[in-house]
């Protein structure tokens, strides 16, 4: 079983940018009946992905991700996903053998910059860089699926 253990933080300042490599992400969500399972379709560069996530418990949840044909991902984004899509530039920064993913949101979520760090265990101790601000791990407003439903510009 695949488990995602993740913490989320707001980002402050701009000096992290010089440490990063970046790619454009486009993603959307296919509605589910239970509202607890998330089905995400994503395009990153020339690759498509389908991800299924379970209910979050603490900072962990089941996650299954599969590469799918780019054409299929594009059709799913256009025809099956709720709008607006989430568009963001993901900046990856490697520090202390961990990868920080800094998402700079575009469109209806422009102005929001958030960092995520995936951990091996919930109790894992990490060094917090000085460009990391307030932790928002438990705040559901910052879940990407909720940013699709209630964009940052509406807060």
């Amino acid at each position: 079983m695949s488990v995602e253990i993740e913490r989320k933080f707001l980002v402050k300042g701009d000096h992290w940018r010089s440490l990063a490599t970046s790619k454009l992400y486009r993603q959307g969500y296919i509605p589910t009946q239970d509202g607890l399972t998330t089905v995400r379709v994503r395009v990153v560069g020339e690759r498509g992905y389908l991800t299924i996530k379970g209910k979050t418990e603490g900072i962990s949840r089941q996650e299954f991700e599969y590469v799918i044909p780019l054409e299929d991902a594009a059709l799913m984004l256009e025809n099956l996903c709720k709008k607006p899509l989430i568009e963001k530039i993901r900046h990856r920064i490697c520090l202390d053998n961990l990868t920080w993913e800094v998402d700079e949101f575009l469109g209806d979520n422009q102005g929001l910059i958030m960092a995520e760090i995936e951990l091996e265990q919930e109790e894992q101790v990490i060094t917090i860089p000085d460009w990391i601000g307030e932790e928002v791990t438990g705040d559901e407003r910052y879940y990407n699926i909720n940013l699709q439903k209630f964009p940052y510009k509406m807060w």
Side-chain angles (χ1 to χ4, degrees):
M1 173 179 17
S2 182
V3 176
E4 173 188 62
I5 304 170
E6 179 179 81
R7 292 174 65 186
K8 295 177 181 262
F9 301 85
L10 297 179
V11 173
K12 56 186 183 182
D14 274 336
H15 65 278
W16 55 269
R17 290 181 187 279
S18 65
L19 306 171
T21 58
S22 308
K23 286 188 178 182
L24 177 65
Y25 280 54
R26 292 183 68 236
Q27 65 191 46
Y29 297 89
I30 298 172
T32 61
Q33 285 187 315
D34 67 6
L36 302 174
T37 304
T38 302
V39 179
R40 179 184 71 205
V41 178
R42 176 182 274 174
V43 171
V44 181
E46 296 299 315
R47 296 199 80 172
Y49 299 89
L50 180 66
T51 306
I52 303 165
K53 296 185 180 192
K55 179 182 176 191
T56 301
E57 296 180 14
I59 63 171
S60 302
R61 64 182 164 179
Q62 293 181 354
E63 178 184 76
F64 306 91
E65 184 167 80
Y66 307 96
V67 174
I68 61 173
L70 179 62
E71 298 78 18
D72 290 357
L75 284 170
M76 288 180 200
L77 285 173
E78 182 64 30
N79 298 312
L80 301 179
C81 294
K82 294 197 74 122
K83 306 297 185 283
L85 298 177
I86 297 288
E87 295 184 302
K88 60 189 177 182
I89 300 171
R90 173 159 284 177
H91 308 274
R92 296 174 63 90
I93 301 169
C94 295
L95 295 171
D96 299 327
N97 295 319
L98 294 171
T99 301
W100 289 86
E101 295 177 333
V102 178
D103 289 339
E104 183 174 10
F105 289 86
L106 306 171
D108 290 346
N109 291 295
Q110 189 162 353
L112 177 60
I113 302 177
M114 187 169 46
E116 300 175 351
I117 184 89
E118 287 198 23
L119 307 173
E120 293 181 19
Q121 55 189 339
E122 287 196 16
E123 306 81 25
Q124 185 172 342
V125 176
I126 58 172
T127 301
I128 306 290
D130 61 356
W131 43 268
I132 293 293
E134 175 187 355
E135 183 165 4
V136 294
T137 300
D139 190 335
E140 293 183 5
R141 294 178 302 167
Y142 293 98
Y143 293 2
N144 279 249
I145 193 167
N146 290 335
L147 290 170
Q148 181 272 317
K149 296 174 189 173
F150 304 105
Y152 185 66
K153 75 175 188 178
M154 296 174 59
W155 296 8

